[in-house]
Every structure is written in C-alpha cells, then in structure tokens.
Amino acid sequence: MDRDDPGDARLAAFERVHLLEAGTGDDRESLAELRRDDASGEESSLYLHGRHHHSATITLTREGAVVLGLSLDDPFNSPDVLAEGTLLLRRLCQEFSATEGLAGVELPPPQSSSEWTQDAEVLVRLGPTDL
C-alpha cells in the first residue's frame, strides 16, 4: 500500500481500532461507513492505493479474520497476468503464513467464511496442499 497516498483517509482509524486497539468513537463511526449494509457487524473492507499493484484491500471478516487483497491491472485478459497472479498469491500465502488463497476477476473481498467458499468468480484457489 502507498503510505504517502493510501487512497482512503480511514486507514489511520482502521489501524487505531484494529491494530492498536486504541480507537475512538469517531474512529469507529468512520469505519462503520465501510460496511456493506446495516446488517453487517464489524466486517468491512478498506480499499487502498497500491505501490506495485493497481490497488489493495484490507478486509476484516465477520469471524474476525483479516483478508489481504491485491488488484492486478489486466485490460487485455492476458493468460500471463493470471499466471503471474497465481505465483504472487502463492508467495504471499507463504510470506504471511496463510492457509488458503484465492483469486478472481472483479472478486469482491470475502467478508465471511461462507463468502470465502463461493466459487462463482474464483479463478484460482490455493489450499494447504498447493502452498
């Protein structure tokens, strides 16, 4: 993520609330704007500018897990970008000790375990035996 221009001013509030556990009421209120709907609990996604990728996301799921996402620019639907994305996904899973990874086209960040298992837009799914 680009720290100089994160793309969403609520990144600081997200860090205070979820990383430092020192968020204020104003921080929580600004993060509530990130929820998909009024029925959502704490789950939310923060869309950020990327340094080396089109954009990045940080998602807090309903179960309290953190899901990191990257957006790769692929205007020509190149198979090379899918292959590169798969290698990057595998590397990120290993680097962050993730047990699973997935990639797709216009794939919204999964905000619950049930969304994680949906396959409609998933092109690549890595599990423990793939990493």
Side-chain angles (χ1 to χ4, degrees):
M1 123 189 88
D2 186 344
R3 286 289 221 188
D4 297 326
D5 179 16
D8 193 317
R10 295 169 289 203
L11 175 61
F14 185 92
E15 290 174 326
R16 285 189 296 271
V17 170
H18 297 296
L19 300 178
L20 303 174
E21 297 181 355
T24 66
D26 287 343
D27 289 336
R28 292 188 184 286
E29 189 174 313
S30 71
L31 293 179
E33 299 169 1
L34 296 172
R35 296 185 186 137
R36 288 185 184 162
D37 55 45
D38 291 337
S40 296
E42 291 290 317
E43 63 265 27
S44 59
S45 297
L46 190 62
Y47 289 78
L48 306 167
H49 292 164
R51 278 195 185 140
H52 305 288
H53 303 286
H54 182 67
S55 64
T57 59
I58 301 173
T59 297
L60 181 65
T61 69
R62 182 174 302 135
E63 297 82 11
V66 175
V67 176
L68 305 176
L70 294 177
S71 178
L72 303 178
D73 193 23
D74 184 19
F76 304 109
N77 292 324
S78 168
D80 293 338
V81 173
L82 180 60
E84 179 184 330
T86 302
L87 289 173
L88 176 60
L89 180 62
R90 184 172 282 116
R91 191 177 87 219
L92 288 170
C93 285
Q94 290 171 343
E95 187 173 328
F96 289 98
S97 300
T99 57
E100 296 177 84
L102 57 87
V105 175
E106 297 298 321
L107 184 64
Q111 292 186 347
S112 68
S113 58
S114 63
E115 288 181 17
W116 183 266
T117 59
Q118 294 174 5
D119 285 334
E121 298 163 333
V122 175
L123 296 177
V124 177
R125 183 177 295 277
L126 301 178
T129 60
D130 303 307
L131 304 174

